[in-house]
Amino acid sequence: FSSIISPFIYLFAFGYGLGSRVEVAGGYLPFLAGGIIGITVMINAFQQTATSVSVGKMYYHIFQNLVLSPIRDFEVIFGIIGAGMLRGIFFGGLIFIMAWLVFGAVSLHLSLLAGAVFGSFCFAALGVIVGLLVRQPDDVAFVNNFIIMPMTFFGGSFFPVDSLPEALRVLVMIFPIGALNRLMRSPVWDESMLTASLVLVLLGLVFFWVSVLFYRRYSE
């Protein structure tokens, strides 16, 4: 319940407070709802994974047992990422249901499903890297402030990126949240949606590979 309070407040405050002032094709409330769902997928897939990995490493010392177990490296990492994906998809689904029932602002389509799956995979894999790198679980907040927070507010979640300066628009194109938002908002599957999906999948695979490398070198 607590995980949907903030997204609900964002939808209500920004949707009704700025809805009449922001001109977006299709209406600002559906535009905002797609962005809020994308943010929810990103935060829950990343933060929960990074926190659980760091806590498990620092306090429960479960990774030393995993390293010594006969489970293969990529299977361990895939299992952790899979758990993060489930969190991201589950909470993103809750926000989708809320936006659909309360605001009538979203509809279910293939691009949205692809965004939930590929986006949660990408950010959960990034969460594993961060969780293995940080020295204290509180250090995850440092990453949130300098990586996740800028993506939240400059990744096109709350307003169209067309209004940003040219330099920031180029930077936004690098952010995976930009690709995720495009998937969340497009009701049709076209070439641009395929490109956005490939961006998230390729980034996720890179993060997955780096996670496996860090895991292989893990030592307490």
Side-chain angles (χ1 to χ4, degrees):
F1 178 75
S2 61
S3 298
I4 67 174
I5 291 299
S6 293
F8 180 83
I9 293 174
Y10 278 125
L11 275 173
F12 187 83
F14 283 86
Y16 289 113
L18 297 176
S20 60
R21 296 175 175 84
V22 180
E23 295 184 2
V24 181
Y28 180 65
L29 194 55
F31 175 89
L32 178 65
I36 295 298
I37 296 172
I39 290 174
T40 304
V41 171
M42 174 183 69
I43 290 178
N44 283 277
F46 168 80
Q47 187 167 337
Q48 297 294 332
T49 302
T51 302
S52 63
V53 169
S54 60
V55 170
K57 179 183 69 173
M58 300 293 177
Y59 296 109
Y60 299 109
H61 303 285
I62 62 173
F63 278 88
Q64 191 64 37
N65 294 330
L66 288 173
V67 170
L68 296 174
S69 71
I71 307 173
R72 288 178 289 186
D73 301 338
F74 75 91
E75 291 177 340
V76 173
I77 299 301
F78 184 78
I80 297 172
I81 292 175
M85 289 178 63
L86 286 177
R87 294 189 192 101
I89 294 171
F90 176 77
F91 286 105
L94 287 181
I95 302 306
F96 171 85
I97 293 173
M98 180 188 67
W100 176 57
L101 291 177
V102 179
F103 300 96
V106 292
S107 59
L108 188 63
H109 46 79
L110 178 61
S111 298
L112 188 146
L113 294 175
V117 174
F118 299 147
S120 60
F121 169 68
C122 178
F123 286 107
L126 178 61
V128 176
I129 295 176
V130 172
L132 289 173
L133 283 177
V134 297
R135 297 183 178 181
Q136 294 293 333
D138 293 340
D139 292 341
V140 175
F142 178 85
V143 179
N144 282 333
N145 290 334
F146 285 92
I147 297 179
I148 301 301
M149 189 64 70
M151 282 197 291
T152 299
F153 286 97
F154 293 102
S157 299
F158 296 102
F159 50 83
V161 296
D162 297 337
S163 59
L164 293 174
E166 181 66 26
L168 279 178
R169 285 205 300 269
V170 174
L171 186 61
V172 166
M173 296 301 295
I174 304 174
F175 289 162
I177 189 64
L180 177 55
N181 284 333
R182 291 196 295 274
L183 287 167
M184 289 295 173
R185 290 175 176 138
S186 177
V188 295
W189 183 268
D190 55 20
E191 185 177 348
S192 63
M193 296 303 103
L194 179 60
T195 301
S197 299
L198 288 175
V199 168
L200 292 175
V201 170
L202 290 176
L203 282 174
L205 290 175
V206 171
F207 295 152
F208 179 88
W209 177 70
V210 174
S211 300
V212 172
L213 291 181
F214 284 156
Y215 176 77
R216 288 174 179 172
R217 298 175 183 177
Y218 178 80
S219 175
E220 293 183 1

